[in-house]
Amino acid sequence: MAKTYFLLLFIILTLSSILNLAFTTKPNFTTDHSSLLAIKDHITFDDPDHILTKNWSTTTTTSFCNWVGVTCGARHLRVTALNLSNMDLSGTLPPHIGNLSFLSSIDFSFNNFYGHLPQEFSELRRLKIIKFSKNNFSGVIPSWIGNFSNLEKLSLAFNSFTNLPKEIGNCRKLEALLLGVNQFFGAIPSTVFNLSSLEKLDLGYNHFSGSLPNDMCKNISNIQILSFASNKLQGRLPSSIGECTNLQDISFAENNFIGGIPTSIGSLTKLKKIYAYNNTLTGLISPIFNLSSLELISIGGNHFSGDLPIDICDKLRMLKHLSIRTNGFTGSIPRDIWNCSFVDLDLLDNYLTGRVPREIGNIDDLMYLGLGSNSFYGEIPHAIFNSTNTLGNLRHLESLLLSNNKFTTQSDSIDQWGFLASLANCKRLILFDISSNPLNGILPGAVFGNLSTSLEQLYFSDCQLRGKIPIEIGNFTNMISFSLSGNEHIGSLPITIEKLQKLQLLHLFHNKLHGSIPHALCNLQNLFELAINENDFSGAIPSCIANLTSLRRLHLASNNFSTSSSSLWDLKDILIVNLSSNAFKGSLPGMIQNLRSLLSLDLSSNQFSGDIPTTLGDLQTLQYLALSNNKLQGVIPESLASLVSLLSLDLSNNSLSGVIPQSLVKLIYLTNFNVSFNKLKGRIPIEGPFRNFSAQSFMGNNGLCGSTRLQVPLCKNSPLHEHKREEVIAKGKQSLPMVVIFHCENGELFHTMNCSMQRMSLGMTCY
């Protein structure tokens, strides 16, 4: 009997285990299926092919293991990897994602997912790879991230996460931590620097603050890529940086670091790239110049000093990119510069001097050469661009910046513009800036017109140039930005300028150009900014200017224009209009109200007359309004109080009358106000921005009154007296006699008297 009982019990337990195993396995399989469908239900399909809509379907007999982006394990047929990257998907992560318990890799990068990471995500303990970069996730990284003991790669870059927990230090197997371009703030958790397996750490473009630990590299000696760029970090660079012996790429750029480059950096024999630009670093950079593996040095925007080593290219033969702009380097350019294989050489804005060595022309692969804002002098060597020398043809050169130096031409030589002629060999040249150099001469049209037709930006401003603008300007059909400002050019605008159909910026101001604006200029459909101020142009602004629908900035000041076409006021998207110091007359055009995007309007120093149009109040984006030095009359319109964005208002030197509208106190952003030398009268407002204006704002108006600090007479009913009156009335309600000051209408102090409430009720005025 006992044997039968135990046999029966054994059979029951065995069947129970089998059934339990069966029911356990099946729900896990179906749970993955339902979890994937839940993910699908939380997705907005932005992709035109609706890949998941068609493929992740319950109507098909296909196993979910064959769905797009799904990988299953061969043994259990459970989801082990999920890759929906680059599919233009949008949505949130559902809690059901935590049921994919066999998941080891998830990649949703380059989509538009948003929201927080759900708590259920913490159940995915097998995860090795998490890639959510380039989405719109937000919130904190939860502390349970530290429970992912198998995690090897965490990529959350380009989101809006705000907090990095210290528990991240528990992910001991982490090899890549990529958190750049988020909203992280506060100190970097010290536990990050205990991740001994770490090879890539990117914390750039966040709001981290504080300093880096001096022993930062003690436990992360395997690190290869390290970025702290564009944060709010401060203090000195870690002296232990030399212990990161495998480091290849490091960025401290755009922070607030101080002090010098640690000498230990010279131990980083594998270092290829160093970025430290835009800090407050000082001293010499000699430790860097011993790193023969370096390919890129970018340390601009600091306070480094000293000379460039004469053997810089003997030591750094791999160097291709050197940027030391905006520092305090001195001395001359080393002549062995040609031994480097530079692609970019940026020496802008230092204190370098001397002549430019012709050996620069031997750097075959050079694409960018920046020598501007230094003290280089002499003629620019022709050989730099001379194709007759097989080593001297900078055939790859795209950008050449030579501005703000002391370069000259040989004014007595037949080869005065030889460097310009040889520059014609640089057929890929896109940007050429030689502004602010004393070239002193007349641009020869044949040479000028021979420059690369690939040019998009060309700047010859402030070069002491004379003569007419070459008609060959029409050759540059790819030109986007062109400047000959600050010279002594004469004549009219060449009509060939109409060929520059891509032109967006044209600066010809401060020359001696004359004549009228040619209709050819109206054909430049892409023109964004036109600055021909400070010349001798005259006549009317042509009506065809309305064709310039891309125009946003118009500077015609200091010419002799006398008539403005009504079509000018059809440019409804224009931002800046400056017609000051011309000979315009008549009434201000009421059509100004059409310019609803206008930020700045300067019509000062003309001969406009009549009233200020009330329609000016419609320009609610206007920040600067200057109507001074005209012949305007009438009152200041109350409608100007509607200019809620106004920063500056200048109505001085006109014949305006009436009072200053009290409503102008509503202009809370107004910092500059000038109504001097008009015929205004009445009380000067004292509220709002008027608290900050000085006597200079109101001088020359004999009828104004107000505070003594404004150097005008007190008003008969000044605010001070009104305030005292209010005190008297308040106390009089208690029927208590008081001593007050009686103020006669002529403003003289008459006498003191006892004034009671009864006297006030009889109409007596007490001050």
Side-chain angles (χ1 to χ4, degrees):
M1 184 69 182
K3 290 182 179 179
T4 304
Y5 171 78
F6 283 113
L7 180 61
L8 181 61
L9 180 62
F10 174 76
I11 293 171
I12 292 172
L13 291 173
T14 302
L15 288 173
S16 175
S17 297
I18 293 172
L19 289 172
N20 183 59
L21 180 63
F23 281 110
T24 300
T25 303
K26 187 173 182 181
N28 281 340
F29 182 84
T30 58
T31 298
D32 279 9
H33 182 262
S34 60
S35 296
L36 292 175
L37 292 178
I39 292 173
K40 174 187 171 184
D41 289 341
H42 281 72
I43 289 176
T44 302
F45 297 95
D46 293 334
D47 61 307
D49 297 325
H50 299 291
I51 296 174
L52 297 192
T53 304
K54 297 176 181 178
N55 189 263
W56 288 27
S57 174
T58 56
T59 60
T60 63
T61 56
T62 306
S63 167
F64 64 78
C65 290
N66 295 321
W67 288 358
V68 170
V70 178
T71 302
C72 292
R75 181 180 177 187
H76 300 289
L77 297 180
R78 299 292 305 280
V79 177
T80 57
L82 189 55
N83 187 347
L84 301 181
S85 61
N86 285 286
M87 293 181 68
D88 249 350
L89 304 176
S90 177
T92 58
L93 298 183
H96 310 76
I97 198 169
N99 295 328
L100 300 174
S101 54
F102 274 65
L103 197 65
S104 64
S105 175
I106 183 169
D107 186 353
F108 281 12
S109 57
F110 293 89
N111 283 291
N112 296 297
F113 287 100
Y114 57 90
H116 298 183
L117 299 181
Q119 173 67 34
E120 291 77 7
F121 197 81
S122 63
E123 302 298 325
L124 305 178
R125 302 298 178 86
R126 286 184 168 90
L127 275 175
K128 294 182 179 181
I129 297 173
I130 302 175
K131 297 172 71 175
F132 286 165
S133 58
K134 278 279 187 178
N135 279 283
N136 297 307
F137 289 113
S138 58
V140 301
I141 297 179
S143 58
W144 45 252
I145 196 75
N147 297 335
F148 293 158
S149 57
N150 295 308
L151 195 61
E152 297 174 1
K153 182 171 185 176
L154 178 60
S155 178
L156 305 178
F158 293 92
N159 281 285
S160 297
F161 290 109
T162 57
N163 183 61
L164 180 61
K166 63 182 180 180
E167 287 80 5
I168 191 69
N170 297 334
C171 302
R172 297 293 183 179
K173 296 182 180 180
L174 202 59
E175 298 175 0
L177 180 58
L178 309 177
L179 306 178
V181 196
N182 275 279
Q183 300 294 323
F184 293 113
F185 60 90
I188 299 171
S190 59
T191 54
V192 168
F193 302 108
N194 293 327
L195 298 171
S196 57
S197 298
L198 209 57
E199 296 178 358
K200 298 178 181 179
L201 175 61
D202 182 4
L203 303 179
Y205 297 91
N206 281 287
H207 305 288
F208 286 116
S209 56
S211 57
L212 296 176
N214 203 36
D215 60 350
M216 179 183 73
C217 289
K218 181 179 179 181
N219 297 315
I220 55 170
S221 58
N222 292 320
I223 199 78
Q224 298 176 18
I225 298 175
L226 185 58
S227 176
F228 303 106
S230 195
N231 278 284
K232 299 176 181 178
L233 299 170
Q234 56 190 16
R236 295 180 177 272
L237 300 181
S239 60
S240 68
I241 191 68
E243 297 178 29
C244 291
T245 52
N246 290 296
L247 204 57
Q248 298 178 22
D249 189 335
I250 186 169
S251 179
F252 298 113
E254 294 185 322
N255 281 283
N256 299 307
F257 291 116
I258 60 173
I261 299 288
T263 55
S264 66
I265 204 169
S267 303
L268 303 179
T269 56
K270 298 180 182 179
L271 193 63
K272 295 180 179 180
K273 299 177 182 179
I274 178 169
Y275 302 88
Y277 59 87
N278 292 351
N279 282 283
T280 316
L281 298 170
T282 57
L284 305 176
I285 59 170
S286 48
I288 295 178
F289 290 132
N290 293 320
L291 298 172
S292 59
S293 58
L294 274 175
E295 298 175 4
L296 181 149
I297 300 174
S298 181
I299 55 173
N302 284 285
H303 300 294
F304 292 120
S305 57
D307 293 358
L308 295 176
I310 58 173
D311 58 349
I312 180 174
C313 290
D314 278 340
K315 295 181 177 180
L316 303 178
R317 288 186 175 271
M318 302 296 291
L319 194 61
K320 296 182 182 297
H321 309 273
L322 175 62
S323 176
I324 61 171
R325 66 162 60 194
T326 317
N327 277 286
F329 289 104
T330 54
S332 57
I333 300 176
R335 288 199 170 273
D336 88 326
I337 201 80
W338 64 275
N339 285 327
C340 283
S341 302
F342 284 122
V343 174
D344 304 303
L345 179 58
D346 186 356
L347 310 180
L348 289 169
D349 195 17
N350 280 282
Y351 299 100
L352 299 171
T353 187
R355 296 178 180 272
V356 176
R358 61 180 6 185
E359 286 80 4
I360 283 182
N362 297 339
I363 307 175
D364 290 349
D365 296 324
L366 194 63
M367 297 175 64
Y368 177 97
L369 178 58
L371 305 179
S373 298
N374 281 284
S375 296
F376 296 118
Y377 59 82
E379 298 87 22
I380 302 170
H382 305 179
I384 291 180
F385 321 109
N386 188 0
S387 61
T388 58
N389 184 339
T390 56
L391 295 177
N393 180 19
L394 298 181
R395 60 189 181 277
H396 298 294
L397 192 65
E398 295 181 358
S399 300
L400 178 60
L401 288 80
L402 306 177
S403 62
N404 291 288
N405 280 286
K406 300 174 184 177
F407 290 123
T408 57
T409 58
Q410 297 176 333
S411 56
D412 297 330
S413 170
I414 193 172
D415 202 20
Q416 177 182 2
W417 297 96
F419 85 91
L420 202 59
S422 60
L423 191 60
N425 297 313
C426 302
K427 300 298 184 184
R428 299 185 183 181
L429 195 63
I430 295 173
L431 166 61
F432 179 37
D433 186 359
I434 196 170
S435 299
S436 299
N437 281 284
L439 300 182
N440 189 23
I442 299 174
L443 275 179
V447 175
F448 177 73
N450 242 1
L451 292 174
S452 170
T453 55
S454 298
L455 273 167
E456 296 178 0
Q457 300 179 63
L458 182 58
Y459 306 104
F460 274 89
S461 58
D462 297 301
C463 287
Q464 300 178 19
L465 299 176
R466 305 183 302 277
K468 295 183 177 182
I469 298 175
I471 61 174
E472 288 80 3
I473 188 176
N475 295 356
F476 305 116
T477 53
N478 289 301
M479 191 70 69
I480 294 174
S481 181
F482 178 63
S483 177
L484 286 174
S485 62
N487 287 292
E488 298 180 18
H489 289 295
I490 60 173
S492 57
L493 284 179
I495 60 173
T496 53
I497 201 167
E498 68 179 346
K499 296 180 180 180
L500 309 186
Q501 288 297 304
K502 297 180 181 180
L503 195 64
Q504 297 179 20
L505 182 145
L506 178 59
H507 280 184
L508 302 175
F509 60 87
H510 195 59
N511 277 284
K512 297 179 179 179
L513 301 170
H514 60 78
S516 58
I517 296 178
H519 285 258
L521 196 66
C522 298
N523 295 325
L524 304 179
Q525 297 293 317
N526 291 298
L527 197 61
F528 179 89
E529 179 170 347
L530 174 62
I532 58 174
N533 46 299
E534 298 180 73
N535 279 285
D536 197 23
F537 290 109
S538 58
I541 299 175
S543 58
C544 65
I545 199 167
N547 297 340
L548 301 178
T549 54
S550 298
L551 195 63
R552 298 295 181 270
R553 300 172 182 170
L554 178 62
H555 301 276
L556 304 181
S558 300
N559 280 286
N560 287 307
F561 292 114
S562 57
T563 308
S564 62
S565 170
S566 60
S567 60
L568 171 62
W569 313 110
D570 291 333
L571 297 171
K572 58 184 179 64
D573 295 319
I574 200 163
L575 302 175
I576 297 173
V577 175
N578 189 344
L579 307 182
S580 63
S581 300
N582 277 283
F584 295 114
K585 53 189 175 183
S587 300
L588 293 176
M591 295 176 65
I592 292 177
Q593 65 177 327
N594 294 340
L595 311 185
R596 296 301 177 91
S597 300
L598 199 62
L599 300 177
S600 177
L601 176 62
D602 190 349
L603 303 179
S604 61
S605 299
N606 280 285
Q607 299 178 43
F608 287 114
S609 58
D611 295 342
I612 298 175
T614 58
T615 53
L616 277 178
D618 295 336
L619 306 178
Q620 296 196 6
T621 60
L622 197 64
Q623 298 178 7
Y624 300 91
L625 176 59
L627 302 176
S628 61
N629 292 284
N630 279 286
K631 299 178 180 180
L632 298 173
Q633 298 173 328
V635 299
I636 300 174
E638 289 276 355
S639 62
L640 295 188
S642 299
L643 301 177
V644 293
S645 303
L646 205 61
L647 301 173
S648 177
L649 176 60
D650 190 352
L651 305 176
S652 61
N653 289 281
N654 280 286
S655 296
L656 299 173
S657 57
V659 300
I660 299 174
Q662 178 67 23
S663 57
L664 296 185
V665 300
K666 300 176 183 177
L667 302 178
I668 59 175
Y669 300 110
L670 195 64
T671 56
N672 178 60
F673 180 74
N674 193 350
V675 291
S676 61
F677 300 102
N678 278 285
K679 299 177 181 179
L680 299 172
K681 62 181 180 180
R683 176 176 295 162
I684 298 174
I686 60 172
E687 296 89 0
F690 284 85
R691 295 188 185 100
N692 304 315
F693 301 144
S694 66
Q696 283 73 23
S697 296
F698 308 100
M699 65 173 56
N701 289 279
N702 295 331
L704 290 176
C705 63
S707 172
T708 55
R709 73 176 182 82
L710 300 177
Q711 301 176 21
V712 295
L714 284 172
C715 297
K716 294 177 181 179
N717 295 322
S718 69
L720 174 63
H721 297 149
E722 291 291 344
H723 175 66
K724 289 190 175 294
R725 181 184 181 186
E726 291 171 3
E727 288 183 350
V728 170
I729 293 174
K731 294 180 179 179
K733 290 180 179 179
Q734 303 174 15
S735 297
L736 295 175
M738 60 181 62
V739 177
V740 295
I741 297 175
F742 183 83
H743 198 288
C744 294
E745 289 188 0
N746 62 7
E748 296 178 355
L749 181 63
F750 186 70
H751 66 280
T752 60
M753 61 176 292
N754 283 328
C755 181
S756 66
M757 192 66 186
Q758 289 81 1
R759 283 182 175 156
M760 290 183 191
S761 67
L762 293 174
M764 298 181 66
T765 304
C766 297
Y767 295 93

